[in-house]
Each structure stands twice: as structure tokens, then as C-alpha cells.
Amino acid sequence: MHINPYGEYAVQLGVELCNVPPASPEELGSRCSAAGLVVDTVPTEEDLRDTTAFLDEWVGVVDARTDVERADILNDLLARASTYPRLTDHAGDGWYKHYRDPKIALGSVVRALVSVGTALHLTGRGMDRLGRCAAADCDAVFADVSRTGRQRYCGTVCSNRDAVRRHRARAAVGRSR
């Protein structure tokens, strides 16, 4: 099976921005750049507001109870994305698909890219490969890119902490017998 890497990096950007929202336009721009997104405009307060509003909607895809509900929410986000896929050779490094118009505002780029990336991720890996951490004290979002498709935690810290908690609970029951 071929999995489109555009989906993985874009959905991971959505996850990261959702879990730790950027505090300023500059931070939004630098985090998008660090994720591999070409930021060709100066990020503004409006970009930050647009991105925050989009992520508030996007988390509905994460929290959807059924595949149909997840698809309906994502289809609405895709319909409101600001652009359509296009071929580009910006920077002369070869032709590839780009999910934005030239010089579009960063908030609109994030909406289009994360929406398309999420659609590619879910259709390429499975509609259940987006969720919330199973640890009782964490509600972080994750995109399951594991080989097995059985990810339950946002990362190893929560996974290990939950395993220790379960082990201690079993040991306490054993001691009380």
C-alpha cells in the first residue's frame, strides 16, 4: 500500500498545533516552517486567529464517534479550504503538488493543508487512525502512524506512565489478598 507522505506531515502539523497552540504569529510561522511548510507571507494576528478557529473545528474530526461523522466533518472542512491542489515548481526544485494559491495567508494555508493531509491520512491508513490519548490524565490528540494501527497514547511518556499505574494497581490488589 502506498501512503502519501504529504498526509502524514500535514496531519502531524495539525496534531502539534492542536496540542500546543502557538502563542504568537511569529511562533505559528516558525512552527509551520519547522514542519516543512513553505511560509511565503509574514504571519499576522489574523493568521493566528484563523488557525486557532480552524483547529477548534478540526478537533471535531478527532472526537467524532463514527466514521461517517468523521467524514462529514472533514468534508465540511475540505469544502471550506481556501484553494485547490495545483502543480508548482517554486524554488526550482522540481514539480510537485501544492495545496494552496501563491501568496495566500498562512491561516488559510494551514486550513487547506491540514484538511487535505487529514483526508489523505485517514483514507490511506484507516478512518480510526486519529484519536485522543488513552491516559486518564491526558487528552492530547495523536495521529496513528504506527505499523500496526493500534496506537492508544500520544507518546511513550503517557504509555509508560499508564503501564506503571496499571502495574501498581495490580500489585496493590495482590498485596491486599
Side-chain angles (χ1 to χ4, degrees):
M1 166 178 23
H2 174 70
I3 298 172
N4 186 330
Y6 218 132
E8 183 175 329
Y9 112 83
V11 76
Q12 291 290 19
L13 175 61
V15 165
E16 291 168 14
L17 293 174
C18 187
N19 287 336
V20 182
S24 69
E26 296 77 20
E27 181 185 347
L28 173 63
S30 66
R31 289 177 61 194
C32 286
S33 292
L37 179 60
V38 175
V39 178
D40 53 7
T41 61
V42 175
T44 65
E45 288 292 337
E46 186 175 346
D47 291 325
L48 184 60
R49 281 190 302 275
D50 288 350
T51 298
T52 301
F54 163 71
L55 293 170
D56 288 345
E57 295 176 85
W58 180 80
V59 80
V61 176
V62 175
D63 294 334
R65 296 185 187 273
T66 67
D67 291 352
V68 172
E69 181 184 358
R70 182 168 274 173
D72 287 345
I73 295 167
L74 186 54
N75 281 335
D76 182 54
L77 293 176
L78 288 164
R80 291 184 290 127
S82 60
T83 190
Y84 53 89
R86 65 179 64 242
L87 292 176
T88 186
D89 182 24
H90 89 95
D93 54 358
W95 290 97
Y96 59 96
K97 285 182 293 196
H98 223 350
Y99 293 99
R100 63 175 168 177
D101 295 328
K103 303 296 182 193
I104 193 170
L106 183 57
S108 295
V109 173
V110 170
R111 173 179 288 280
L113 184 70
V114 173
S115 295
V116 169
T118 302
L120 290 169
H121 175 74
L122 295 175
T123 59
R125 291 190 182 261
M127 289 297 286
D128 60 341
R129 304 283 294 256
L130 195 58
R132 294 238 184 216
C133 186
D137 57 346
C138 181
D139 68 348
V141 172
F142 67 86
D144 184 353
V145 295
S146 69
R147 189 174 53 82
T148 62
R150 298 184 191 277
Q151 183 173 340
R152 294 183 44 227
Y153 299 95
C154 64
T156 55
V157 170
C158 281
S159 175
N160 290 342
R161 188 174 47 228
D162 207 39
V164 167
R165 192 177 293 129
R166 288 190 315 269
H167 172 75
R168 288 179 179 161
R170 283 190 307 270
V173 168
R175 284 191 301 267
S176 67
R177 288 184 183 179

